[in-house]
Amino acid sequence: MFNSDPSSKPANPKLPRSVIMMIEKNNLVMAIKTLAADENISMDEAKVRIDAYETQLKVQQQQKLNTIASKQGIPNQAISFDREQEPDEDESDPLIKNRVKTTKQSQEFQTLQTGVDSRLKDLGYKKPLVPYWMKRLLVIAMIMLGMFWILWRVFG
């Protein structure tokens, strides 16, 4: 039923639409079985083709994200797919054990924040001294104090 000859090349390098939909839904086992059955190839060959398609899809998505990020002034490190970062050289040094390490999430947030700050600076936006929510709290507090004073004068 399956072609187990590893030297045979797939006749159709393009994947069928049903298999692509299974890959997009992350149903890889079913996609491999369907591709192997449809094209009469081994499951290993089907897995290789599906892995190649996934890699190509991730590369295309990363390229699209990079072009969008470059247009918006966001650094590419803030949006990369591979979240694994290289370990620091200092981690192997036993003398630097007390150093405070930042987590990946805080590093990603810092890069995002610097990207947003640089974009706002390019647009000429200046942060207000008192945030909007603080102004609103002050207005509510003033109204409450005024009502308290009026009620005290009337009923006190």
Side-chain angles (χ1 to χ4, degrees):
M1 181 174 175
F2 294 116
N3 185 7
S4 62
D5 183 17
S7 64
S8 66
K9 297 287 180 188
N12 186 7
K14 188 171 182 177
L15 297 176
R17 183 71 188 143
S18 61
V19 174
I20 291 174
M21 288 173 57
M22 288 180 207
I23 293 170
E24 289 173 355
K25 291 180 181 178
N26 215 10
N27 193 353
L28 299 177
V29 174
M30 200 61 195
I32 291 171
K33 287 181 179 180
T34 304
L35 182 62
D38 287 350
E39 298 193 1
N40 199 18
I41 58 175
S42 71
M43 289 199 179
D44 290 334
E45 290 178 42
K47 181 182 181 313
V48 167
R49 284 184 55 194
I50 288 175
D51 287 344
Y53 176 77
E54 280 186 314
T55 305
Q56 178 187 4
L57 189 64
K58 284 184 180 180
V59 166
Q60 288 174 352
Q61 289 174 346
Q62 185 66 40
Q63 288 173 346
K64 287 178 184 177
L65 283 175
N66 286 343
T67 56
I68 292 170
S70 65
K71 288 179 183 177
Q72 294 182 354
I74 299 172
N76 289 341
Q77 296 84 9
I79 57 167
S80 67
F81 275 123
D82 55 345
R83 295 293 181 194
E84 294 297 320
Q85 296 178 356
E86 301 85 27
D88 294 337
E89 307 86 37
D90 299 337
E91 290 180 5
S92 61
D93 191 2
L95 298 176
I96 309 179
K97 287 187 179 179
N98 296 333
R99 183 176 61 126
V100 177
K101 295 181 182 178
T102 58
T103 61
K104 290 180 190 177
Q105 190 174 22
S106 66
Q107 290 172 350
E108 292 168 2
F109 180 74
Q110 288 290 359
T111 56
L112 180 64
Q113 188 174 13
T114 55
V116 169
D117 287 342
S118 67
R119 181 67 177 159
L120 290 175
K121 186 178 177 185
D122 292 342
L123 292 173
Y125 178 78
K126 294 182 182 177
K127 291 184 180 178
L129 292 175
V130 179
Y132 184 73
W133 61 270
M134 182 73 83
K135 291 178 188 175
R136 194 166 266 192
L137 283 178
L138 287 173
V139 168
I140 291 171
M142 294 299 289
I143 291 172
M144 288 179 69
L145 282 173
M147 290 194 54
F148 177 73
W149 182 76
I150 289 171
L151 290 174
W152 182 323
R153 298 294 285 169
V154 171
F155 296 110

